[in-house]
Amino acid sequence: MAVFETAVKRHFLKEKAARQLLLELSQKFKIDTEQLFGSKPHIELAETEIAEILLINRKPLFARVDKNILPTLFSNKVSSLLPKIVVDMGAVPHVCNGADLMVPGVVQISADFKKNDLILIVDERHGKPLAIGVALFDSHAMRKMKRGKIVKNIHYVGDKLWKTLKKLMG
């Protein structure tokens, strides 16, 4: 088994860059960053081979991958604001191996959303976050579907980003 190593350069963002980032997060995810992170959060950028990881108050809450910013599976406060799709336990190992979400594994679609929105995928037994994906259809269309792929899996438990985040948390 290969040892997983990734080079990391870390630095704190200057106040102006931190304000710009918080504004971007606020607009993209429709969140009140001050309420979630405090009025003067400490924002650190960890540059890795896989992604730029944003640590807010020492927690790896967001990652910028290919110029797209997304919440990590370690950001419970933010990912809980995303629309949820609940999957049956049979789908769990597939989703955690990077498979896209298929209709037969879906138990519940909890909210309304549009095509290309970020979606949180959770298991039915414990409600644990398994993956973050991109909706391939809007929620109304998904509810009518009987088969097919509905969510593209972009970050899941056990992927390279997840392993890097665990390593950063020590």
Side-chain angles (χ1 to χ4, degrees):
M1 187 165 112
V3 177
F4 182 77
E5 287 294 325
T6 192
V8 178
K9 290 191 322 189
R10 293 172 74 153
H11 65 276
F12 284 96
L13 294 183
K14 296 197 184 318
E15 193 172 331
K16 183 178 179 182
R19 274 197 316 269
Q20 287 175 328
L21 175 69
L22 291 172
L23 180 61
E24 180 184 354
L25 294 174
S26 175
Q27 291 170 344
K28 180 167 173 89
F29 297 107
K30 297 169 184 62
I31 57 174
D32 181 342
T33 56
E34 188 170 332
Q35 183 181 356
L36 283 175
F37 311 127
S39 60
K40 293 212 179 223
H42 297 284
I43 302 176
E44 189 177 2
L45 179 67
E47 297 177 50
T48 72
E49 299 160 9
I50 296 159
E52 289 182 346
I53 297 164
L54 300 162
L55 295 101
I56 301 177
N57 298 329
R58 297 191 179 139
K59 295 183 179 109
L61 301 184
F62 296 92
R64 191 180 305 270
V65 182
D66 300 326
K67 298 186 181 176
N68 295 316
I69 194 161
L70 63 131
T72 69
L73 290 169
F74 289 87
S75 63
N76 294 336
K77 285 181 180 179
V78 178
S79 61
S80 67
L81 301 173
L82 295 175
K84 273 188 218 124
I85 293 182
V86 180
V87 298
D88 63 33
M89 296 311 287
V92 170
H94 302 287
V95 170
C96 291
N97 278 324
D100 293 335
L101 186 59
M102 308 295 278
V103 171
V106 174
V107 173
Q108 179 186 12
I109 297 173
S110 72
D112 290 333
F113 50 85
K114 295 179 175 87
K115 180 179 177 179
N116 295 322
D117 281 357
L118 289 176
I119 306 295
L120 179 65
I121 301 169
V122 300
D123 76 65
E124 71 177 331
R125 188 172 298 152
H126 305 289
K128 288 194 176 181
L130 304 172
I132 294 175
V134 175
L136 299 176
F137 302 91
D138 67 39
S139 55
H140 299 295
M142 280 185 196
R143 288 184 181 103
K144 294 175 185 171
M145 295 173 69
K146 300 291 184 215
R147 60 188 168 141
K149 186 187 314 185
I150 57 172
V151 176
K152 179 172 178 37
N153 193 340
I154 59 171
H155 171 44
Y156 54 92
V157 171
D159 69 5
K160 287 180 181 179
L161 177 58
W162 189 83
K163 289 175 184 172
T164 301
L165 295 169
K166 273 195 77 114
K167 187 177 173 185
L168 279 175
M169 293 181 66

